[in-house]
Amino acid sequence: DNSSDTYLVVLDLNSMKETTLMNSNALDLDPIFSVDGNFVYYSSAKNGSFDLWKINLTTLESTILTQENSLERLPVPTLDGEQIVYLHKKGFSYDSIELLDLENNTSTTLIEENFASQTAFSLSKDNTTLAYTWPNGDDYELRLLNIAIPESKMLLTKSKGLPLSPKFSDDGQWVYFSENNKMESSEIKRIPINGGSPELL
């Protein structure tokens, strides 16, 4: 981010060499590697609205994945690369988390709400469970759902200071998240996927 534009950079952790991956004339955001490491999925506004794209790391060829004239962000690919979980914002207030089938170019709504501006989510390593933050009145909650059965929503913990950025542990037994305390300082916490009290780290 150079204050007027954003671009995507790959950093080699051994050599510390930076390589610019994408630098369009618009905002480029949310890079995430495919499981096999051959692609990077991202969101870009270079066509006027935020769309999902993927770039081949060998050829640097970019392919557009969504063209809905709305806002699509935060792409999270599944293990087989055939589906993507993403945030869809349409109109003034409609927000949803969608599951995009790349082969059929169809989307399934996993959950939807109005004004879910702080939404963040993470997909478990086995690709079955989504951990996500979601509004409930004036508060936010940390929830789980099975992406094959979207009706399977389960409350994991209620907000004490806006839970953000949920991520699964590698073994899938914990969800890590950040949350502000009463002093408005961010803290890292975790909670078992079966529920219980959050643990301050």
Side-chain angles (χ1 to χ4, degrees), residues 158-179:
K158 292 185 177 181
S159 169
K160 291 185 178 180
L162 188 58
L164 296 172
S165 307
K167 298 291 180 185
F168 280 94
S169 61
D170 192 61
D171 61 8
Q173 298 304 303
W174 297 86
V175 174
Y176 291 79
F177 63 99
S178 66
E179 190 171 45

Side-chain angles (χ1 to χ4, degrees), residues 2 5-8 20-26 28:
N2 63 10
D5 189 19
T6 61
Y7 51 97
L8 308 182
T20 299
L21 187 63
M22 172 56 57
N23 186 12
S24 71
N25 293 325
D28 304 304

Side-chain angles (χ1 to χ4, degrees), residues 110 128 132 144-155:
L110 299 178
T128 61
Y132 62 101
L144 301 176
L145 66 78
N146 185 320
I147 64 171
I149 312 171
E151 299 81 10
S152 63
K153 296 182 286 292
M154 184 187 87
L155 173 66

Side-chain angles (χ1 to χ4, degrees), residues 5-6 14 29 132 141-142 160 163 181 188:
D5 189 19
T6 61
N14 293 318
L29 303 169
Y132 62 101
E141 299 174 345
L142 187 58
K160 291 185 178 180
N181 58 27
I188 301 297

